[in-house]
Amino acid sequence: GAVVSQHPSWVICKSGTSVKIECRSLDFQATTMFWYRQFPKQSLMLMATSNEGSKATYEQGVEKDKFLINHASLTLSTLTVTSAHPEDSSFYICSARGQANQPQHFGDGTRLSIL
Amino acid sequence: GENVEQHPSTLSVQEGDSAVIKCTYSDSASNYFPWYKQELGKGPQLIIDIRSNVGEKKDQRIAVTLNKTAKHFSLHITETQPEDSAVYFCAASPRNTGNQFYFGTGTSLTVIP
């Protein structure tokens, strides 16, 4: 149980393109979803927290107009990197949890490369 | 805010030996401590967790201990196998942050056959 699917797993696109990443909880309802960014050989950096039906809460230094998050249902959240540039290249990982005080379950991440 | 430190950053052990990874946290409001294993190119997978009302938890070859007074918790892997090789992250979650996780910096474990 507690499977989180993230898609796509890998994307390469040109500078200026917008890229959408999907995060789905397959066998449970995700009240809260989290989006992280991870640089090579580093820890996970929380970008934003989203609750179903509410606006996402962004961490300090994360541009909300750059990284658009939608959590329209209890099983789907999306992260859109708008007008992506090479410095946005990274490994993006989502996680989801059901009720409060339950563990977060992670997707397998999306490797984004902007040329 | 919460600050989690993790040591060592790299660890090599011979197959069959034990591996211990230690984390400290700063916020006494933290009450949930999960451990994740991340393989190359994959997302972190939960391997064990512990809540602040217990001092130790074991699941087969994996155990976690928690010392609330000293604010540190440790992951113990016994009888290590090559497939245990991965990056391990600890995390702490304060009860007043909506279950936000604060991650350690990770430990790259290599089990030598």
Side-chain angles (χ1 to χ4, degrees):
Chain A
V3 178
V4 176
S5 175
Q6 190 171 337
H7 179 81
S9 58
W10 186 39
V11 59
I12 302 175
C13 58
K14 293 181 179 180
S15 185
T17 307
S18 291
V19 179
K20 179 184 283 188
I21 302 170
E22 292 188 349
C23 181
R24 294 180 183 272
S25 57
L26 299 185
D27 53 0
F28 68 102
Q29 293 185 325
T31 307
T32 305
M33 287 187 170
F34 303 85
W35 287 95
Y36 295 84
R37 185 172 179 176
Q38 187 178 34
F39 292 102
K41 297 186 178 181
Q42 294 191 24
S43 191
L44 291 85
M45 182 190 78
L46 180 65
M47 299 175 64
T49 302
S50 73
N51 292 296
E52 185 265 338
S54 302
K55 289 184 178 180
T57 301
Y58 290 81
E59 295 300 301
Q60 191 173 7
V62 179
E63 299 177 58
K64 62 180 181 180
D65 294 330
K66 175 75 172 176
F67 300 98
L68 301 179
I69 292 172
N70 183 279
H71 190 170
S73 78
L74 285 171
T75 60
L76 174 64
S77 177
T78 61
L79 167 67
T80 301
V81 184
T82 61
S83 187
H85 293 286
E87 58 266 27
D88 298 323
S89 299
S90 192
F91 192 53
Y92 293 88
I93 311 175
C94 72
S95 72
R97 69 163 175 84
Q99 301 299 317
N101 292 319
Q102 291 184 346
Q104 292 181 28
H105 299 281
F106 286 82
D108 272 342
T110 297
R111 184 158 303 284
L112 175 62
S113 296
I114 309 297
L115 304 178
Chain B
E2 175 63 278
N3 180 47
V4 179
E5 295 188 354
Q6 183 171 347
H7 299 281
S9 57
T10 59
L11 178 61
S12 292
V13 299
Q14 291 289 333
E15 182 177 0
D17 288 348
S18 296
V20 180
I21 302 171
K22 298 181 179 181
C23 288
T24 61
Y25 62 100
S26 61
D27 191 344
S28 57
S30 288
N31 63 347
Y32 176 65
F33 307 90
W35 284 89
Y36 288 86
K37 175 183 180 182
Q38 186 177 26
E39 297 177 337
L40 191 63
K42 299 286 188 179
Q45 298 298 310
L46 179 70
I47 55 171
I48 197 168
D49 57 6
I50 191 168
R51 298 189 184 276
S52 59
N53 58 345
V54 299
E56 184 174 359
K57 183 177 179 180
K58 188 174 182 180
D59 183 4
Q60 299 183 338
R61 296 186 297 110
I62 296 173
V64 57
T65 58
L66 171 66
N67 183 325
K68 286 191 297 182
T69 303
K71 295 194 183 69
H72 65 71
F73 56 112
S74 300
L75 176 71
H76 304 254
I77 306 174
T78 59
E79 301 173 31
T80 54
Q81 301 168 2
E83 51 265 38
D84 294 329
S85 297
V87 178
Y88 291 81
F89 290 99
C90 64
S93 180
R95 65 174 70 90
N96 56 351
T97 62
N99 297 117
Q100 180 173 324
F101 283 12
Y102 293 84
F103 284 90
T105 47
T107 297
S108 178
L109 173 65
T110 301
V111 179
I112 304 167

